[in-house]
Amino acid sequence: MKKKYRQIVCAAATVILMSSACSAANPDTAYKEAVQTMAAHPEGEYVILLNLKMPITSIALADTIDLQEKPFKVKSVVTLSSLNKTDSPFAAVYVEQDGDHLNIYSGRSQMDKMLWNKQVRPLKNKAPLADAFGTERSIMSGVKAVDIVGLNQYKVVFDARRIYDNTDKENWEKEGLGSQQAEIAAQALQALQQAGDVSFVVTIDPKTKRIIHVAGLLTDQVQTVARAVASRVNGSEKAKALVREMIDHSCMTITVDSKPLPDGISI
């Protein structure tokens, strides 16, 4: 009986080891499972940090987003710091579901005061938004390749061709975006396409199957967009040359950290 029990335990251990090896050997599966988990249960705190370094200065933009599933609430607070000087939050957004509509409160700091604006966006029905989380089927849409680069770390490459489609601009205008704003957005996204594919290193917690860290280099993308914008700005050739030099010697990184909502948080 004991021998048979040991055989069962050994067989189970073998199955677990084989399944773990298969998961590690198939990075697409590990990444897809993590994205599915995050899509179905996005509740948590996310910190997005953009660091822009230029020859004469450096700027860091941090956006802390707290998301609660039920009842659906979101808080986003953006802070900006430059030359190691941290400013107070200069922008904030609060979103809450109230039956069949969303209440959106957006604030922007002006003259050391936060000025607020409220918008109401209708929903299709009163069903909790959380009920629809994870129903998106195109989870791997735009993903070109996934490769293992370290322990629980994966390099994910996104296809630049999916950034913009010729029909996007028309759809934006149908949704109410002004033609001028749509044109600016289209030009920016087309410039991003020219910069090529975008890659990020994604860290996945194997226990929770959640993405806990994302890091990427956006220098090529930022430089390409900045050059496109600078080419349309009026000015002397000397001024344009100075701007081009600053652009060519700038770099940008992005990180996204995810963790559970802090205990006792009130959004």
PDB file of all heavy atoms in Angstrom, residues 51-76:
ATOM      1  N   ASN A  51       9.995  58.324 -18.075  1.00  0.00           N
ATOM      2  CA  ASN A  51      11.194  59.117 -17.827  1.00  0.00           C
ATOM      3  C   ASN A  51      11.757  59.619 -19.151  1.00  0.00           C
ATOM      4  O   ASN A  51      12.131  58.821 -20.014  1.00  0.00           O
ATOM      5  CB  ASN A  51      12.255  58.279 -17.107  1.00  0.00           C
ATOM      6  CG  ASN A  51      12.051  58.271 -15.605  1.00  0.00           C
ATOM      7  OD1 ASN A  51      12.072  59.316 -14.965  1.00  0.00           O
ATOM      8  ND2 ASN A  51      11.831  57.091 -15.054  1.00  0.00           N
ATOM      9  N   LEU A  52      11.801  60.935 -19.284  1.00  0.00           N
ATOM     10  CA  LEU A  52      12.342  61.560 -20.487  1.00  0.00           C
ATOM     11  C   LEU A  52      13.625  62.298 -20.124  1.00  0.00           C
ATOM     12  O   LEU A  52      13.607  63.199 -19.278  1.00  0.00           O
ATOM     13  CB  LEU A  52      11.331  62.537 -21.094  1.00  0.00           C
ATOM     14  CG  LEU A  52      11.816  63.353 -22.304  1.00  0.00           C
ATOM     15  CD1 LEU A  52      12.166  62.432 -23.471  1.00  0.00           C
ATOM     16  CD2 LEU A  52      10.759  64.372 -22.718  1.00  0.00           C
ATOM     17  N   LYS A  53      14.723  61.904 -20.741  1.00  0.00           N
ATOM     18  CA  LYS A  53      16.011  62.549 -20.502  1.00  0.00           C
ATOM     19  C   LYS A  53      16.439  63.291 -21.754  1.00  0.00           C
ATOM     20  O   LYS A  53      16.474  62.722 -22.845  1.00  0.00           O
ATOM     21  CB  LYS A  53      17.065  61.519 -20.104  1.00  0.00           C
ATOM     22  CG  LYS A  53      16.798  60.868 -18.757  1.00  0.00           C
ATOM     23  CD  LYS A  53      17.917  59.927 -18.360  1.00  0.00           C
ATOM     24  CE  LYS A  53      17.662  59.309 -16.992  1.00  0.00           C
ATOM     25  NZ  LYS A  53      18.754  58.387 -16.584  1.00  0.00           N
ATOM     26  N   MET A  54      16.765  64.576 -21.560  1.00  0.00           N
ATOM     27  CA  MET A  54      17.223  65.426 -22.654  1.00  0.00           C
ATOM     28  C   MET A  54      18.552  66.069 -22.262  1.00  0.00           C
ATOM     29  O   MET A  54      18.939  66.033 -21.085  1.00  0.00           O
ATOM     30  CB  MET A  54      16.159  66.481 -22.962  1.00  0.00           C
ATOM     31  CG  MET A  54      14.846  65.897 -23.469  1.00  0.00           C
ATOM     32  SD  MET A  54      13.601  67.161 -23.856  1.00  0.00           S
ATOM     33  CE  MET A  54      13.197  67.735 -22.198  1.00  0.00           C
ATOM     34  N   PRO A  55      19.254  66.672 -23.221  1.00  0.00           N
ATOM     35  CA  PRO A  55      20.575  67.242 -22.914  1.00  0.00           C
ATOM     36  C   PRO A  55      20.568  68.250 -21.773  1.00  0.00           C
ATOM     37  O   PRO A  55      21.532  68.321 -21.013  1.00  0.00           O
ATOM     38  CB  PRO A  55      20.969  67.897 -24.243  1.00  0.00           C
ATOM     39  CG  PRO A  55      20.260  67.103 -25.282  1.00  0.00           C
ATOM     40  CD  PRO A  55      18.951  66.733 -24.658  1.00  0.00           C
ATOM     41  N   ILE A  56      19.511  69.039 -21.623  1.00  0.00           N
ATOM     42  CA  ILE A  56      19.539  70.101 -20.618  1.00  0.00           C
ATOM     43  C   ILE A  56      18.601  69.846 -19.442  1.00  0.00           C
ATOM     44  O   ILE A  56      18.621  70.593 -18.466  1.00  0.00           O
ATOM     45  CB  ILE A  56      19.183  71.464 -21.248  1.00  0.00           C
ATOM     46  CG1 ILE A  56      17.796  71.410 -21.882  1.00  0.00           C
ATOM     47  CG2 ILE A  56      20.243  71.877 -22.265  1.00  0.00           C
ATOM     48  CD1 ILE A  56      17.328  72.754 -22.431  1.00  0.00           C
ATOM     49  N   THR A  57      17.809  68.813 -19.507  1.00  0.00           N
ATOM     50  CA  THR A  57      16.875  68.566 -18.411  1.00  0.00           C
ATOM     51  C   THR A  57      16.380  67.133 -18.452  1.00  0.00           C
ATOM     52  O   THR A  57      16.666  66.376 -19.394  1.00  0.00           O
ATOM     53  CB  THR A  57      15.664  69.516 -18.495  1.00  0.00           C
ATOM     54  OG1 THR A  57      14.859  69.357 -17.320  1.00  0.00           O
ATOM     55  CG2 THR A  57      14.821  69.204 -19.726  1.00  0.00           C
ATOM     56  N   SER A  58      15.650  66.747 -17.435  1.00  0.00           N
ATOM     57  CA  SER A  58      15.002  65.437 -17.383  1.00  0.00           C
ATOM     58  C   SER A  58      13.621  65.622 -16.766  1.00  0.00           C
ATOM     59  O   SER A  58      13.436  66.442 -15.873  1.00  0.00           O
ATOM     60  CB  SER A  58      15.816  64.438 -16.567  1.00  0.00           C
ATOM     61  OG  SER A  58      15.955  64.878 -15.232  1.00  0.00           O
ATOM     62  N   ILE A  59      12.671  64.868 -17.260  1.00  0.00           N
ATOM     63  CA  ILE A  59      11.291  64.972 -16.801  1.00  0.00           C
ATOM     64  C   ILE A  59      10.765  63.573 -16.490  1.00  0.00           C
ATOM     65  O   ILE A  59      10.984  62.636 -17.252  1.00  0.00           O
ATOM     66  CB  ILE A  59      10.396  65.636 -17.867  1.00  0.00           C
ATOM     67  CG1 ILE A  59      10.898  67.049 -18.193  1.00  0.00           C
ATOM     68  CG2 ILE A  59       8.951  65.690 -17.409  1.00  0.00           C
ATOM     69  CD1 ILE A  59      10.169  67.696 -19.350  1.00  0.00           C
ATOM     70  N   ALA A  60      10.107  63.454 -15.358  1.00  0.00           N
ATOM     71  CA  ALA A  60       9.484  62.179 -14.976  1.00  0.00           C
ATOM     72  C   ALA A  60       8.001  62.406 -14.744  1.00  0.00           C
ATOM     73  O   ALA A  60       7.614  63.279 -13.967  1.00  0.00           O
ATOM     74  CB  ALA A  60      10.137  61.616 -13.719  1.00  0.00           C
ATOM     75  N   LEU A  61       7.179  61.640 -15.432  1.00  0.00           N
ATOM     76  CA  LEU A  61       5.736  61.718 -15.280  1.00  0.00           C
ATOM     77  C   LEU A  61       5.247  60.410 -14.689  1.00  0.00           C
ATOM     78  O   LEU A  61       5.494  59.338 -15.236  1.00  0.00           O
ATOM     79  CB  LEU A  61       5.067  61.990 -16.623  1.00  0.00           C
ATOM     80  CG  LEU A  61       3.550  62.234 -16.605  1.00  0.00           C
ATOM     81  CD1 LEU A  61       3.172  63.223 -17.701  1.00  0.00           C
ATOM     82  CD2 LEU A  61       2.775  60.934 -16.809  1.00  0.00           C
ATOM     83  N   ALA A  62       4.573  60.509 -13.545  1.00  0.00           N
ATOM     84  CA  ALA A  62       4.076  59.310 -12.858  1.00  0.00           C
ATOM     85  C   ALA A  62       2.561  59.364 -12.756  1.00  0.00           C
ATOM     86  O   ALA A  62       1.994  60.380 -12.359  1.00  0.00           O
ATOM     87  CB  ALA A  62       4.699  59.199 -11.467  1.00  0.00           C
ATOM     88  N   ASP A  63       1.925  58.273 -13.101  1.00  0.00           N
ATOM     89  CA  ASP A  63       0.470  58.165 -13.023  1.00  0.00           C
ATOM     90  C   ASP A  63       0.132  56.959 -12.142  1.00  0.00           C
ATOM     91  O   ASP A  63       0.429  55.820 -12.489  1.00  0.00           O
ATOM     92  CB  ASP A  63      -0.122  57.992 -14.419  1.00  0.00           C
ATOM     93  CG  ASP A  63      -1.645  58.038 -14.423  1.00  0.00           C
ATOM     94  OD1 ASP A  63      -2.229  58.238 -13.337  1.00  0.00           O
ATOM     95  OD2 ASP A  63      -2.236  57.880 -15.503  1.00  0.00           O
ATOM     96  N   THR A  64      -0.462  57.233 -10.986  1.00  0.00           N
ATOM     97  CA  THR A  64      -0.880  56.167 -10.080  1.00  0.00           C
ATOM     98  C   THR A  64      -2.374  55.930 -10.255  1.00  0.00           C
ATOM     99  O   THR A  64      -3.178  56.830 -10.035  1.00  0.00           O
ATOM    100  CB  THR A  64      -0.580  56.533  -8.621  1.00  0.00           C
ATOM    101  OG1 THR A  64       0.832  56.769  -8.476  1.00  0.00           O
ATOM    102  CG2 THR A  64      -0.989  55.408  -7.688  1.00  0.00           C
ATOM    103  N   ILE A  65      -2.713  54.723 -10.673  1.00  0.00           N
ATOM    104  CA  ILE A  65      -4.101  54.383 -10.974  1.00  0.00           C
ATOM    105  C   ILE A  65      -4.584  53.302 -10.013  1.00  0.00           C
ATOM    106  O   ILE A  65      -3.999  52.219  -9.935  1.00  0.00           O
ATOM    107  CB  ILE A  65      -4.238  53.884 -12.425  1.00  0.00           C
ATOM    108  CG1 ILE A  65      -3.727  54.943 -13.412  1.00  0.00           C
ATOM    109  CG2 ILE A  65      -5.692  53.529 -12.735  1.00  0.00           C
ATOM    110  CD1 ILE A  65      -3.643  54.450 -14.838  1.00  0.00           C
ATOM    111  N   ASP A  66      -5.636  53.610  -9.277  1.00  0.00           N
ATOM    112  CA  ASP A  66      -6.281  52.634  -8.396  1.00  0.00           C
ATOM    113  C   ASP A  66      -7.603  52.229  -9.025  1.00  0.00           C
ATOM    114  O   ASP A  66      -8.446  53.094  -9.310  1.00  0.00           O
ATOM    115  CB  ASP A  66      -6.529  53.225  -7.007  1.00  0.00           C
ATOM    116  CG  ASP A  66      -5.229  53.508  -6.277  1.00  0.00           C
ATOM    117  OD1 ASP A  66      -4.327  52.656  -6.328  1.00  0.00           O
ATOM    118  OD2 ASP A  66      -5.102  54.588  -5.679  1.00  0.00           O
ATOM    119  N   LEU A  67      -7.785  50.926  -9.235  1.00  0.00           N
ATOM    120  CA  LEU A  67      -8.994  50.430  -9.896  1.00  0.00           C
ATOM    121  C   LEU A  67      -9.692  49.430  -8.995  1.00  0.00           C
ATOM    122  O   LEU A  67      -9.097  48.458  -8.548  1.00  0.00           O
ATOM    123  CB  LEU A  67      -8.644  49.785 -11.237  1.00  0.00           C
ATOM    124  CG  LEU A  67      -9.812  49.396 -12.151  1.00  0.00           C
ATOM    125  CD1 LEU A  67      -9.377  49.417 -13.606  1.00  0.00           C
ATOM    126  CD2 LEU A  67     -10.353  48.000 -11.809  1.00  0.00           C
ATOM    127  N   GLN A  68     -10.965  49.693  -8.740  1.00  0.00           N
ATOM    128  CA  GLN A  68     -11.808  48.802  -7.949  1.00  0.00           C
ATOM    129  C   GLN A  68     -12.884  48.235  -8.853  1.00  0.00           C
ATOM    130  O   GLN A  68     -13.504  48.963  -9.625  1.00  0.00           O
ATOM    131  CB  GLN A  68     -12.440  49.583  -6.795  1.00  0.00           C
ATOM    132  CG  GLN A  68     -13.422  48.796  -5.955  1.00  0.00           C
ATOM    133  CD  GLN A  68     -14.018  49.659  -4.849  1.00  0.00           C
ATOM    134  OE1 GLN A  68     -13.333  50.085  -3.942  1.00  0.00           O
ATOM    135  NE2 GLN A  68     -15.311  49.937  -4.964  1.00  0.00           N
ATOM    136  N   GLU A  69     -13.097  46.930  -8.778  1.00  0.00           N
ATOM    137  CA  GLU A  69     -14.049  46.277  -9.681  1.00  0.00           C
ATOM    138  C   GLU A  69     -15.501  46.510  -9.277  1.00  0.00           C
ATOM    139  O   GLU A  69     -16.319  46.945 -10.089  1.00  0.00           O
ATOM    140  CB  GLU A  69     -13.756  44.778  -9.751  1.00  0.00           C
ATOM    141  CG  GLU A  69     -12.421  44.439 -10.415  1.00  0.00           C
ATOM    142  CD  GLU A  69     -12.207  42.947 -10.531  1.00  0.00           C
ATOM    143  OE1 GLU A  69     -13.195  42.182 -10.453  1.00  0.00           O
ATOM    144  OE2 GLU A  69     -11.046  42.520 -10.679  1.00  0.00           O
ATOM    145  N   LYS A  70     -15.856  46.185  -8.040  1.00  0.00           N
ATOM    146  CA  LYS A  70     -17.250  46.287  -7.601  1.00  0.00           C
ATOM    147  C   LYS A  70     -17.321  46.997  -6.262  1.00  0.00           C
ATOM    148  O   LYS A  70     -16.729  46.521  -5.289  1.00  0.00           O
ATOM    149  CB  LYS A  70     -17.879  44.897  -7.489  1.00  0.00           C
ATOM    150  CG  LYS A  70     -18.085  44.216  -8.835  1.00  0.00           C
ATOM    151  CD  LYS A  70     -18.801  42.887  -8.658  1.00  0.00           C
ATOM    152  CE  LYS A  70     -19.067  42.216 -10.015  1.00  0.00           C
ATOM    153  NZ  LYS A  70     -19.789  40.943  -9.875  1.00  0.00           N
ATOM    154  N   PRO A  71     -18.070  48.113  -6.188  1.00  0.00           N
ATOM    155  CA  PRO A  71     -18.595  48.872  -7.333  1.00  0.00           C
ATOM    156  C   PRO A  71     -17.444  49.482  -8.121  1.00  0.00           C
ATOM    157  O   PRO A  71     -16.391  49.786  -7.556  1.00  0.00           O
ATOM    158  CB  PRO A  71     -19.463  49.942  -6.673  1.00  0.00           C
ATOM    159  CG  PRO A  71     -18.856  50.136  -5.330  1.00  0.00           C
ATOM    160  CD  PRO A  71     -18.366  48.783  -4.907  1.00  0.00           C
ATOM    161  N   PHE A  72     -17.643  49.671  -9.416  1.00  0.00           N
ATOM    162  CA  PHE A  72     -16.567  50.117 -10.298  1.00  0.00           C
ATOM    163  C   PHE A  72     -16.175  51.559  -9.982  1.00  0.00           C
ATOM    164  O   PHE A  72     -16.981  52.483 -10.075  1.00  0.00           O
ATOM    165  CB  PHE A  72     -17.012  50.016 -11.756  1.00  0.00           C
ATOM    166  CG  PHE A  72     -15.945  50.458 -12.729  1.00  0.00           C
ATOM    167  CD1 PHE A  72     -14.886  49.624 -13.046  1.00  0.00           C
ATOM    168  CD2 PHE A  72     -15.998  51.724 -13.308  1.00  0.00           C
ATOM    169  CE1 PHE A  72     -13.900  50.026 -13.929  1.00  0.00           C
ATOM    170  CE2 PHE A  72     -15.015  52.136 -14.191  1.00  0.00           C
ATOM    171  CZ  PHE A  72     -13.961  51.288 -14.501  1.00  0.00           C
ATOM    172  N   LYS A  73     -14.917  51.717  -9.599  1.00  0.00           N
ATOM    173  CA  LYS A  73     -14.365  53.044  -9.321  1.00  0.00           C
ATOM    174  C   LYS A  73     -12.910  53.075  -9.763  1.00  0.00           C
ATOM    175  O   LYS A  73     -12.195  52.083  -9.640  1.00  0.00           O
ATOM    176  CB  LYS A  73     -14.447  53.373  -7.830  1.00  0.00           C
ATOM    177  CG  LYS A  73     -15.852  53.521  -7.277  1.00  0.00           C
ATOM    178  CD  LYS A  73     -15.813  53.903  -5.809  1.00  0.00           C
ATOM    179  CE  LYS A  73     -17.215  54.052  -5.238  1.00  0.00           C
ATOM    180  NZ  LYS A  73     -17.182  54.451  -3.802  1.00  0.00           N
ATOM    181  N   VAL A  74     -12.485  54.227 -10.256  1.00  0.00           N
ATOM    182  CA  VAL A  74     -11.100  54.413 -10.685  1.00  0.00           C
ATOM    183  C   VAL A  74     -10.610  55.770 -10.209  1.00  0.00           C
ATOM    184  O   VAL A  74     -11.341  56.771 -10.303  1.00  0.00           O
ATOM    185  CB  VAL A  74     -10.962  54.336 -12.219  1.00  0.00           C
ATOM    186  CG1 VAL A  74      -9.507  54.585 -12.631  1.00  0.00           C
ATOM    187  CG2 VAL A  74     -11.421  52.985 -12.741  1.00  0.00           C
ATOM    188  N   LYS A  75      -9.400  55.780  -9.694  1.00  0.00           N
ATOM    189  CA  LYS A  75      -8.753  57.038  -9.323  1.00  0.00           C
ATOM    190  C   LYS A  75      -7.402  57.100 -10.015  1.00  0.00           C
ATOM    191  O   LYS A  75      -6.612  56.160  -9.922  1.00  0.00           O
ATOM    192  CB  LYS A  75      -8.561  57.139  -7.810  1.00  0.00           C
ATOM    193  CG  LYS A  75      -7.819  58.411  -7.383  1.00  0.00           C
ATOM    194  CD  LYS A  75      -7.639  58.479  -5.872  1.00  0.00           C
ATOM    195  CE  LYS A  75      -6.592  57.511  -5.400  1.00  0.00           C
ATOM    196  NZ  LYS A  75      -6.275  57.681  -3.958  1.00  0.00           N
ATOM    197  N   SER A  76      -7.137  58.195 -10.711  1.00  0.00           N
ATOM    198  CA  SER A  76      -5.868  58.389 -11.394  1.00  0.00           C
ATOM    199  C   SER A  76      -5.279  59.729 -10.971  1.00  0.00           C
ATOM    200  O   SER A  76      -5.931  60.769 -11.103  1.00  0.00           O
ATOM    201  CB  SER A  76      -6.067  58.360 -12.916  1.00  0.00           C
ATOM    202  OG  SER A  76      -4.878  58.767 -13.582  1.00  0.00           O
TER     203      SER A  76
END
